[in-house]
Amino acid sequence: EQGEWADDNLTGLVISVSMPSSVTTLDDTSSGGGFSSIKSFTIPNTVTTLDSAFFAFWLNLEELIFEEGTQITIVPELLVGACPNLKTIVFAEGITSIGPAALMPFSLYFNELTLPASITSLDLSLFYMDSGFIFIQNLMPHSLYMLGTAPALTNYASLSELSFYGTLYVKEEYLSTYQTGDWATYFKGTIETF
């Protein structure tokens, strides 16, 4: 079933895509290896399966939105690889985990990210990249807004020197959860409340 397409007559780019509610799976066969003309994409809350690297090589993608009421609980690894124009990702409540390198290289290009209160674990590769040839740490956005308690940090056993920086904004009632344990060990930036 085909979704609605909004065309940008000036550039020939597709501005946004609205998928029909009958869509439940976004996999590599449905992405066709990437749509280079789409600028904005909303993942409908009917989607239950989202493949790794689904949005890889969507070269003009600027905005990715998880619709409220999402059934996706885990953001898969390498979800937005090679999307150099991606500036905004809107996560919905219900997402509990963000997988290995799910936002790479998005985290190289953006200044702010908000994660919902439903997040219970974060893979530390959100904040570093280790391809075997290159190790970059401190890929955390300048401003990271956490709407809930401190999620567990995973995937750091082999990185004894890992630390990440930036400004972490947390709700006052959850502040103490970010000042102990792994967050106290690995986060070396500033924590502010909102």
Side-chain angles (χ1 to χ4, degrees):
E1 211 173 317
Q2 199 166 15
E4 296 176 20
W5 301 76
D7 235 340
D8 179 348
N9 293 325
L10 299 175
T11 64
L13 294 177
V14 174
I15 300 285
S16 63
V17 176
S18 297
M19 302 296 293
S21 61
S22 60
V23 174
T24 60
T25 300
L26 297 178
D27 60 23
D28 58 358
T29 59
S30 60
S31 78
F35 292 102
S36 61
S37 63
I38 295 173
K39 293 174 79 174
S40 177
F41 191 91
T42 298
I43 301 169
N45 59 17
T46 55
V47 171
T48 57
T49 305
L50 179 60
D51 271 6
S52 298
F54 179 80
F55 294 100
F57 299 101
W58 288 34
L59 301 179
N60 287 296
L61 186 66
E62 295 178 0
E63 179 182 59
L64 178 61
I65 300 167
F66 288 81
E67 188 174 53
E68 284 301 319
T70 186
Q71 295 184 56
I72 296 168
T73 57
I74 299 173
V75 175
E77 63 183 328
L78 302 170
L79 182 66
V80 294
C83 295
N85 292 302
L86 187 60
K87 296 173 179 62
T88 303
I89 298 179
V90 178
F91 293 104
E93 281 296 326
I95 295 172
T96 60
S97 180
I98 298 180
L103 306 183
M104 295 299 296
F106 172 65
S107 57
L108 290 170
Y109 306 115
F110 71 116
N111 289 323
E112 183 178 302
L113 180 65
T114 300
L115 296 179
S118 55
I119 294 285
T120 58
S121 72
L122 281 181
D123 190 292
L124 274 177
S125 63
L126 290 175
F127 308 123
Y128 71 90
M129 178 170 56
D130 183 3
S131 67
F133 302 103
I134 184 172
F135 178 78
I136 304 172
Q137 72 179 53
N138 193 30
L139 296 180
M140 185 174 157
H142 294 120
S143 300
L144 178 62
Y145 290 82
M146 301 296 294
L147 301 182
T149 188
L153 298 176
T154 61
N155 195 18
Y156 56 83
S158 63
L159 298 167
S160 60
E161 300 297 319
L162 177 68
S163 57
F164 53 102
Y165 306 87
T167 303
L168 184 63
Y169 294 91
V170 301
K171 291 187 174 182
E172 181 83 39
E173 62 265 32
Y174 303 127
L175 178 61
S176 63
T177 67
Y178 291 90
Q179 295 174 322
T180 59
D182 289 340
W183 281 88
T185 301
Y186 294 100
F187 179 67
K188 304 300 182 189
T190 303
I191 299 179
E192 296 186 16
T193 57
F194 68 96

